[in-house]
Amino acid sequence: MAAGGGARKWRFGAGRICLDLVATEPAGAAPRTREQLDGPARLAQWLTDARLVPPGTALTALDDTWVARFHELRSAIGRLMETQLDGPEAGDALERVNAAASAAPVGPRAVRGADGVLVRALSTPPDCAGLLAVVARDAVDLLTDPVARAALRRCQGEACHRLYLDTSRGGRRRWCSGRVCGNRERVARHRRRATGADPGPAEV
């Protein structure tokens, strides 16, 4: 499946799959944000594009229950990450993530493709609990790794809610994407300078 499907595109670049899942959530009343996982078809596409399942994997059991469970895990991970950024208490979010992480993910296996080249497949048909476990374990790994946890950032782009890991030299990264939010900021700053509203130098 093509990533994002038409006008609604998601991006994978936060540095962790758990943060990429959080990025699919609408940011309250912020403009230009909307629910990206709004049904089974979109979730199936995200799972494939996120490489949680290999292309062509049959997801015949995926239904609205899966969507609701991914929404619940996404919300719990998001609250935990916000807590790391001096946000409000996360309530029962930690228990929810730990519970999801305790399930057994489906094991991968290497199989011969049509051209004889080895490709990744799953040892058994994926179930919802196993796929949730992959994301939840990634969140647990991030939250318990002091280096990764210290690199957690929120995008400084206008109306952007995305979280990401700043692995840049000197920890100077400001945006989830320099080509998206960074470019928007540079364009806005150029306009402000052109009208005399922002005489300061542009940041990299």
Side-chain angles (χ1 to χ4, degrees):
M1 299 177 217
R8 289 188 297 164
K9 295 183 179 181
W10 40 58
R11 288 181 273 127
F12 300 102
R16 301 300 284 258
I17 191 61
C18 63
L19 299 182
D20 287 329
L21 176 63
V22 173
T24 66
E25 185 174 28
R32 299 189 303 274
T33 63
R34 60 186 298 181
E35 175 61 65
Q36 295 187 50
L37 302 181
D38 56 7
R42 288 289 290 177
L43 176 57
Q45 185 174 345
W46 187 84
L47 291 170
T48 302
D49 293 345
R51 303 187 67 184
L52 289 180
V53 299
T57 300
L59 295 170
T60 55
L62 199 161
D63 57 14
D64 288 331
T65 301
W66 285 43
V67 177
R69 292 178 68 183
F70 267 87
H71 285 183
E72 290 172 1
L73 178 62
R74 182 183 64 182
S75 177
I77 293 173
R79 281 183 285 151
L80 285 175
M81 299 304 166
E82 291 293 338
T83 297
Q84 298 303 311
L85 295 171
D86 298 323
E89 289 299 318
D92 63 350
L94 184 59
E95 289 74 16
R96 288 179 177 273
V97 170
N98 283 335
S102 67
V106 177
R109 57 196 297 256
V111 300
R112 296 283 179 189
D115 56 1
V117 175
L118 289 173
V119 296
R120 186 172 68 97
L122 298 179
S123 57
T124 58
D127 62 0
C128 187
L131 293 173
L132 289 170
V134 174
V135 182
R137 290 182 181 198
D138 183 61
V140 170
D141 184 62
L142 190 164
L143 291 166
T144 57
D145 180 343
V147 175
R149 193 172 60 235
L152 183 65
R153 303 283 187 274
R154 182 185 294 107
C155 181
Q156 295 182 36
E158 182 180 357
C160 184
H161 68 296
R162 293 175 186 268
L163 303 174
Y164 63 91
L165 294 188
D166 181 3
T167 57
S168 65
R169 180 174 295 181
R172 298 177 60 188
R173 180 177 167 187
R174 294 182 54 206
W175 304 296
C176 62
S177 169
R179 287 184 296 179
V180 181
C181 288
N183 188 56
R184 287 174 184 157
E185 177 64 21
R186 286 187 285 270
V187 170
R189 183 171 292 160
H190 175 75
R191 289 173 178 166
R192 290 195 298 268
R193 279 174 86 204
T195 60
D198 182 10
E203 295 184 24
V204 176

